[in-house]
PDB file of all heavy atoms in Angstrom:
ATOM      1  N   ASP B 108     116.558 118.247  74.311  1.00 98.00           N
ATOM      2  CA  ASP B 108     116.343 119.209  75.398  1.00 98.00           C
ATOM      3  C   ASP B 108     115.901 118.562  76.696  1.00 98.00           C
ATOM      4  O   ASP B 108     115.640 119.285  77.671  1.00 98.00           O
ATOM      5  CB  ASP B 108     115.265 120.233  74.986  1.00 98.00           C
ATOM      6  CG  ASP B 108     115.639 121.070  73.775  1.00 98.00           C
ATOM      7  OD1 ASP B 108     116.854 121.304  73.588  1.00 98.00           O
ATOM      8  OD2 ASP B 108     114.748 121.497  73.041  1.00 98.00           O
ATOM      9  N   VAL B 109     115.775 117.238  76.748  1.00 98.00           N
ATOM     10  CA  VAL B 109     115.142 116.582  77.902  1.00 98.00           C
ATOM     11  C   VAL B 109     116.089 115.529  78.467  1.00 98.00           C
ATOM     12  O   VAL B 109     116.197 114.425  77.944  1.00 98.00           O
ATOM     13  CB  VAL B 109     113.814 115.925  77.478  1.00 98.00           C
ATOM     14  CG1 VAL B 109     113.107 115.354  78.711  1.00 98.00           C
ATOM     15  CG2 VAL B 109     112.911 116.901  76.748  1.00 98.00           C
ATOM     16  N   PRO B 110     116.787 115.889  79.556  1.00 98.00           N
ATOM     17  CA  PRO B 110     117.803 114.981  80.084  1.00 98.00           C
ATOM     18  C   PRO B 110     117.306 113.554  80.316  1.00 98.00           C
ATOM     19  O   PRO B 110     117.996 112.582  79.982  1.00 98.00           O
ATOM     20  CB  PRO B 110     118.202 115.645  81.412  1.00 98.00           C
ATOM     21  CG  PRO B 110     117.939 117.115  81.185  1.00 98.00           C
ATOM     22  CD  PRO B 110     116.723 117.166  80.278  1.00 98.00           C
ATOM     23  N   PHE B 111     116.096 113.381  80.867  1.00 98.00           N
ATOM     24  CA  PHE B 111     115.670 112.012  81.194  1.00 98.00           C
ATOM     25  C   PHE B 111     115.276 111.181  79.977  1.00 98.00           C
ATOM     26  O   PHE B 111     114.988 110.010  80.085  1.00 98.00           O
ATOM     27  CB  PHE B 111     114.584 112.000  82.258  1.00 98.00           C
ATOM     28  CG  PHE B 111     113.227 112.535  81.836  1.00 98.00           C
ATOM     29  CD1 PHE B 111     112.315 111.733  81.167  1.00 98.00           C
ATOM     30  CD2 PHE B 111     112.860 113.848  82.138  1.00 98.00           C
ATOM     31  CE1 PHE B 111     111.077 112.205  80.787  1.00 98.00           C
ATOM     32  CE2 PHE B 111     111.605 114.326  81.770  1.00 98.00           C
ATOM     33  CZ  PHE B 111     110.711 113.526  81.096  1.00 98.00           C
ATOM     34  N   LEU B 112     115.282 111.800  78.793  1.00 98.00           N
ATOM     35  CA  LEU B 112     115.019 111.020  77.564  1.00 98.00           C
ATOM     36  C   LEU B 112     116.308 110.756  76.786  1.00 98.00           C
ATOM     37  O   LEU B 112     116.263 110.082  75.747  1.00 98.00           O
ATOM     38  CB  LEU B 112     114.032 111.771  76.654  1.00 98.00           C
ATOM     39  CG  LEU B 112     112.625 111.977  77.212  1.00 98.00           C
ATOM     40  CD1 LEU B 112     111.781 112.844  76.283  1.00 98.00           C
ATOM     41  CD2 LEU B 112     111.913 110.645  77.484  1.00 98.00           C
ATOM     42  N   GLU B 113     117.402 111.198  77.309  1.00 96.00           N
ATOM     43  CA  GLU B 113     118.680 111.067  76.607  1.00 96.00           C
ATOM     44  C   GLU B 113     118.989 109.615  76.313  1.00 96.00           C
ATOM     45  O   GLU B 113     118.924 108.741  77.177  1.00 96.00           O
ATOM     46  CB  GLU B 113     119.804 111.669  77.475  1.00 96.00           C
ATOM     47  CG  GLU B 113     120.866 112.352  76.645  1.00 96.00           C
ATOM     48  CD  GLU B 113     121.893 113.031  77.534  1.00 96.00           C
ATOM     49  OE1 GLU B 113     121.563 114.076  78.107  1.00 96.00           O
ATOM     50  OE2 GLU B 113     123.011 112.474  77.683  1.00 96.00           O
ATOM     51  N   GLY B 114     119.316 109.330  75.075  1.00 93.00           N
ATOM     52  CA  GLY B 114     119.695 107.987  74.677  1.00 93.00           C
ATOM     53  C   GLY B 114     118.521 107.102  74.309  1.00 93.00           C
ATOM     54  O   GLY B 114     118.706 105.970  73.874  1.00 93.00           O
ATOM     55  N   LEU B 115     117.313 107.596  74.507  1.00 95.00           N
ATOM     56  CA  LEU B 115     116.116 106.826  74.132  1.00 95.00           C
ATOM     57  C   LEU B 115     115.642 107.216  72.738  1.00 95.00           C
ATOM     58  O   LEU B 115     115.717 108.389  72.359  1.00 95.00           O
ATOM     59  CB  LEU B 115     114.966 107.102  75.095  1.00 95.00           C
ATOM     60  CG  LEU B 115     115.090 106.544  76.509  1.00 95.00           C
ATOM     61  CD1 LEU B 115     113.915 107.047  77.356  1.00 95.00           C
ATOM     62  CD2 LEU B 115     115.116 105.006  76.472  1.00 95.00           C
ATOM     63  N   VAL B 116     115.138 106.243  71.980  1.00 97.00           N
ATOM     64  CA  VAL B 116     114.394 106.579  70.783  1.00 97.00           C
ATOM     65  C   VAL B 116     113.053 107.127  71.254  1.00 97.00           C
ATOM     66  O   VAL B 116     112.360 106.483  72.047  1.00 97.00           O
ATOM     67  CB  VAL B 116     114.222 105.349  69.876  1.00 97.00           C
ATOM     68  CG1 VAL B 116     113.538 105.779  68.562  1.00 97.00           C
ATOM     69  CG2 VAL B 116     115.554 104.678  69.598  1.00 97.00           C
TER      70      VAL B 116
END
Side-chain angles (χ1 to χ4, degrees):
Chain B
D108 297 331
V109 185
F111 69 84
L112 296 175
E113 215 175 287
L115 289 174
V116 185

